[in-house]
Amino acid sequence: MESVLFSDPFLNHISTYLNPTTLYNLCKTCKQFRIIITKSHFEKASILVIRKRLLDIYETEAKLLHWLNKLQSGGGVIAGDAILFCILDEKKSMPFECFYPSTFKFDEELIKCRSLAYDIRYHDYAECTKFYTRVIKHAVVKDSDVNRFLNNIFLFDFCRNKYWYTGKDHIDVKSFNQILSKKIKHDGHTSYFSAKQYTSMGFTFVKN
């Protein structure tokens, strides 16, 4: 039995059907799984959840791929709480937030979501110009470096997660352990208001 549980069949097949929370629970309950399950497995599992939720929006792989290519050509990345919800595989969904560099040229086709009617509103705040749709938010930042902007705008490391597409899927997650355990280490400068939305999700904040 161990040859099945702790070998190639698990790593190359069974694990591809598991979400990040299940992988984390396996690591917490079995020493052998802690050895064989790596960060790359959590990354692949998170990408699968992200792709599944995007597919729910765009309905077909062809439409989703078309949109992802548009995202790539615009230099965009997906970041924000929606990535957090995907990692946790929460039943409640959050709108995906796409961030583009200041060099981005507005593309109306990029913001279309399925065949639904949509409403575009322009807002300037927090150094963003945001284009709102029903299920995806688009923000053009006033910085040519999106990553630099995201590092400045998100208060906590566990929120600085992003997904992008270059013909293949990429994800950058700062700490799977903190996210999946819902125990966040911080430097003591966390304000009540900035942490409240996460404590309501079951997160606890622990000083370093």
Side-chain angles (χ1 to χ4, degrees):
M1 186 65 177
E2 284 194 0
S3 64
V4 175
L5 287 178
F6 307 125
S7 61
D8 289 345
F10 174 81
L11 292 176
N12 298 327
H13 185 68
I14 298 172
S15 65
T16 62
Y17 292 93
L18 304 179
N19 63 33
T21 301
T22 302
L23 291 174
Y24 177 77
N25 289 336
L26 285 173
C27 290
K28 295 294 287 184
T29 56
C30 178
K31 180 179 179 180
Q32 191 65 32
F33 279 124
R34 285 198 295 274
I35 296 172
I36 66 173
I37 295 175
T38 65
K39 184 179 180 181
S40 67
H41 292 101
F42 286 100
E43 290 173 338
K44 290 175 183 177
S46 300
I47 286 170
L48 285 174
V49 178
I50 293 169
R51 288 290 294 250
K52 181 179 181 298
R53 296 194 178 193
L54 286 171
L55 187 59
D56 287 342
I57 297 169
Y58 287 97
E59 298 179 334
T60 68
E61 284 286 351
K63 289 180 181 178
L64 174 56
L65 183 59
H66 178 71
W67 182 81
L68 287 173
N69 286 328
K70 287 281 186 180
L71 182 74
Q72 177 187 0
S73 65
V77 301
I78 298 175
D81 288 343
I83 301 293
L84 202 62
F85 273 60
C86 287
I87 294 170
L88 294 168
D89 202 15
E90 295 277 354
K91 290 183 179 179
K92 178 184 176 182
S93 61
M94 291 283 289
F96 283 100
E97 294 180 277
C98 304
F99 295 85
Y100 305 88
S102 56
T103 53
F104 171 78
K105 296 186 184 300
F106 175 72
D107 184 342
E108 184 174 317
E109 185 178 358
L110 181 65
I111 70 167
K112 288 182 179 177
C113 297
R114 299 187 293 187
S115 58
L116 293 173
Y118 59 92
D119 179 31
I120 308 171
R121 296 173 189 160
Y122 300 86
H123 295 283
D124 279 312
Y125 71 97
E127 298 186 347
C128 281
T129 301
K130 292 197 172 185
F131 310 94
Y132 287 92
T133 67
R134 295 188 178 186
V135 286
I136 295 182
K137 297 178 181 179
H138 300 266
V140 179
V141 307
K142 293 182 178 178
D143 195 324
S144 59
D145 187 331
V146 173
N147 293 323
R148 179 171 56 205
F149 175 84
L150 294 175
N151 285 337
N152 289 332
I153 198 172
F154 290 117
L155 295 176
F156 309 113
D157 274 344
F158 79 98
C159 298
R160 296 186 178 116
N161 310 305
K162 50 187 178 290
Y163 163 91
W164 68 101
Y165 184 78
T166 62
K168 64 179 182 178
D169 304 283
H170 302 272
I171 192 169
D172 179 25
V173 176
K174 300 305 178 185
S175 177
F176 278 109
N177 186 57
Q178 288 193 57
I179 292 170
L180 292 164
S181 68
K182 293 192 173 182
K183 293 180 180 178
I184 307 303
K185 295 179 181 179
H186 68 98
D187 57 8
H189 297 293
T190 300
S191 73
Y192 168 77
F193 294 104
S194 60
K196 185 178 180 181
Q197 70 182 96
Y198 300 107
T199 55
S200 67
M201 292 169 59
F203 283 91
T204 56
F205 288 80
V206 182
K207 289 184 180 180
N208 285 324

